[in-house]
Amino acid sequence: QVQLVESGGGLVQTGGSLRLSCAVSGHMFSSYYMAWFRQAPGKEREFLATITPRGLSTFYADSVRGRATIARDNAKNTVSLRMSNLNLEDTAVYYCAARSDGRYDDVSSYVYWGQGTQVTVSS
């Protein structure tokens, strides 16, 4: 069984930055594609970024490209998301997720999810 636990959320001012972490327990972490999603109130869960199993490639949603960086440490079983220049629209619950295959931006491709961490951006 794979368990994911996010941390690092909180209250951030507009224009600020944050770093979210996701600790993954269980075996075969280095075989999974990892990703970050977010969900704002009343909206669908939105893909943000993904990273391949060995960390050689990354892909980003248009909404965060250029101000987000996803990274992983397979020795520590962790994946992180750094975001800068935050705005009010970045307020959401942020989730990390793991998949073995499927489309990287499709929620249904991901079999393991964390419980989420709240990020609130204030002016």
Side-chain angles (χ1 to χ4, degrees):
Q1 184 70 14
V2 177
Q3 293 184 326
L4 290 72
V5 179
E6 302 95 337
S7 61
L11 183 64
V12 185
Q13 288 191 326
T14 53
S17 61
L18 59 79
R19 181 181 185 273
L20 304 178
S21 294
C22 177
V24 182
S25 62
H27 64 290
M28 296 178 64
F29 170 74
S30 60
S31 68
Y32 290 106
Y33 295 80
M34 299 300 298
W36 286 92
F37 287 76
R38 68 185 178 189
Q39 188 165 19
K43 295 188 176 181
E44 294 185 352
R45 195 162 296 191
E46 174 192 13
F47 165 80
L48 298 178
T50 189
I51 188 166
T52 52
R54 291 197 295 162
L56 298 180
S57 296
T58 57
F59 301 92
Y60 297 92
D62 290 343
S63 59
V64 298
R65 185 176 294 114
R67 60 188 187 100
T69 301
I70 187 172
R72 68 188 296 160
D73 185 336
N74 285 350
K76 297 182 178 179
N77 281 20
T78 59
V79 60
S80 64
L81 180 72
R82 293 181 182 269
M83 287 185 60
S84 62
N85 195 23
L86 293 168
N87 56 64
L88 298 178
E89 289 70 37
D90 292 317
T91 295
V93 177
Y94 285 68
Y95 300 89
C96 68
R99 66 181 174 92
S100 296
D101 54 21
R103 283 182 50 177
Y104 65 82
D105 58 349
D106 189 340
V107 169
S108 64
S109 295
Y110 292 82
V111 293
Y112 299 110
W113 292 85
Q115 82 290 347
T117 185
Q118 175 71 47
V119 172
T120 302
V121 183
S122 65
S123 58

